Amino acid sequence: MAVVIRDIVATDEAAWRVLWAAYIAFQKGIVAPEVTAHTWARLNDPARSLIGRVAEVDGCLRGFSVSLLHEGTWALTPFCYLEDLFVAEHARGQGLGRALIEDLITMGMKRGWARLYWHAMAGNAEARRLYDSFAPSDGDVRYRIQL
Ligand SMILES: CC(C)(COP(=O)(O)OP(=O)(O)OC[C@H]1O[C@@H](n2cnc3c(N)ncnc32)[C@H](O)[C@@H]1OP(=O)(O)O)[C@@H](O)C(=O)NCCC(=O)NCCS
């Protein structure tokens, strides 16, 4: 199995949209078509604020990560927030999720980011098994106000 982790490119659109729709369904979310279009456009903007990476297996897209950099008050260099991580159901348990996270760690070390972090639903046991192998949860509790 030849696995490549690389930047999202414009020709990934159809395959990425299939994975994105499956991810939104997994999250039981609703994302308006214009929001998906906006996200896709930003993933392909050279001056993009989003970092889109894909996991390709034997030439087929099987997973992706979407992250963004932001400044912080606790460090001189940016923090990277991993917002979305997804691997197609039939491709799970083969190391793609791990490879997508390791890819961001490598990128961040090269570029001098201060931190890579993400959230997880407490009940998402499959994801948390993977995450716990990188670092213990920091114990933060998230609050959210929809505006
Ligand atoms: C979370 C997710 C990205 C993991 O992707 P993945 O490619 O299956 O992960 P990996 O194959 O790299 O698995 C890594 C570890 O997770 C565990 N794991 C993952 N899938 C497993 C499975 N089906 N059975 C048993 N363990 C599993 C194993 O402990 C594995 O450890 P190992 O590398 O030492 O074997 C994937 O399950 C997914 O997309 N889930 C739905 C979306 C989601 O939950 N996203 C995260 C939101 S916070």
Side-chain angles (χ1 to χ4, degrees):
M1 170 170 110
V3 177
V4 176
I5 309 293
R6 59 163 175 80
D7 277 341
I8 286 182
V9 294
T11 49
D12 293 327
E13 179 167 6
W16 177 81
R17 279 177 178 272
V18 171
L19 293 175
W20 178 252
Y23 172 64
I24 299 305
F26 172 85
Q27 299 286 16
K28 298 187 172 51
I30 297 171
V31 176
E34 62 268 27
V35 175
T36 293
H38 183 56
T39 299
W40 176 252
R42 283 181 298 155
L43 286 169
N44 287 277
D45 180 347
R48 61 189 166 190
S49 55
L50 297 182
I51 299 169
R53 302 281 284 171
V54 288
E56 199 179 58
V57 180
D58 297 330
C60 297
L61 252 56
R62 297 292 183 233
F64 69 87
S65 68
V66 176
S67 311
L68 55 100
L69 290 185
H70 64 88
E71 298 198 357
T73 55
W74 291 65
L76 295 173
T77 57
F79 294 160
C80 179
Y81 173 54
L82 166 58
E83 183 156 25
D84 306 302
L85 177 71
F86 184 74
V87 171
E89 201 167 352
H90 66 278
R92 290 185 195 155
Q94 300 171 26
L96 298 181
R98 182 178 298 286
L100 284 161
I101 294 176
E102 284 173 348
D103 166 65
L104 290 170
I105 294 170
T106 304
M107 191 183 294
M109 289 174 78
K110 277 194 196 139
R111 298 183 186 180
W113 303 341
R115 179 187 298 172
L116 169 67
Y117 71 103
W118 61 88
H119 299 108
M121 295 296 284
N124 189 345
E126 200 170 75
R128 295 196 63 194
R129 257 201 313 267
L130 172 62
Y131 301 163
D132 287 347
S133 71
F134 283 96
S137 157
D138 64 10
D140 275 7
V141 178
R142 187 171 69 163
Y143 296 83
R144 184 199 298 204
I145 299 174
Q146 208 64 37
L147 302 175

